[in-house]
Amino acid sequence: MKSSAYLQSWQQKSASAIKFAVGPATAWFAETNSYAEVRERSADVSVFCLFTTADRAVADPLDVDQWTFYVASTTHINAAIGEQKTITLASLRSRVQPLETGFGGLLAAVEDAGRSKRP
C-alpha cells in the first residue's frame, strides 16, 4: 500500500505533486537474518491511496470519502513499468491503468486485481 496527498502537514505554497514509490525491494527474512538475492515487488496486489482533498478547512484523513484508491496486480505493474522506482499519478493512470475506486469498492477491486494475470 502506497499513499500520497495534495496537502501536507507543513505550510505549502501550492498542492503537492502526486507520486508514489513503486520500486522493487530486497526482502529481509527475520528467521534467518538474511536478505533475498533478488529485488522484487513482493505483494500480489498494490493499492495506491490518494487523499484527494486540497482544502485544508475541510480536510479529514479519517473521512474515507476524501480518498481515492488505485488498485493493480503486481504482474501488471511489472509489465507496465519494469524496474521503475517512482511513478506520478498521471503515469500510473495511463501506463498501469489501475482499477480506480472509492473505499466502498476497495475490497472488490483488490479481489479482482488479485485474480488478474493480465500483463
Side-chain angles (χ1 to χ4, degrees), residues 15 17 27-28 70 74 80 96 99 103 112:
W28 177 70
Y70 301 90
T74 298
V96 177
L99 300 168
F103 183 77
D112 187 47

Side-chain angles (χ1 to χ4, degrees), residues 2 20-28 35-43 46 48 74 77-79 81-87:
K2 309 292 183 178
F20 300 96
V22 293
T26 304
W28 177 70
Y35 289 91
E37 293 180 18
V38 178
R39 294 173 46 86
E40 64 182 358
R41 294 179 178 99
S42 59
S46 287
F48 301 90
T74 298
I77 293 168
N78 288 341
I81 64 172
E83 295 287 314
Q84 189 170 320
K85 294 179 182 177
T86 61
I87 193 166

Side-chain angles (χ1 to χ4, degrees), residues 51 58 60-67:
F51 184 64
V58 298
D60 179 4
L62 299 178
D63 179 356
V64 295
D65 291 333
Q66 294 184 23
W67 290 85

Side-chain angles (χ1 to χ4, degrees), residues 7 44 53 73 81-82 85 97 101 111-112:
L7 291 177
D44 293 331
T53 303
S73 71
I81 64 172
K85 294 179 182 177
Q97 299 177 337
T101 186
E111 288 174 339
D112 187 47

Side-chain angles (χ1 to χ4, degrees), residues 25-36:
T26 304
W28 177 70
F29 306 105
E31 54 281 347
T32 60
N33 192 28
S34 63
Y35 289 91

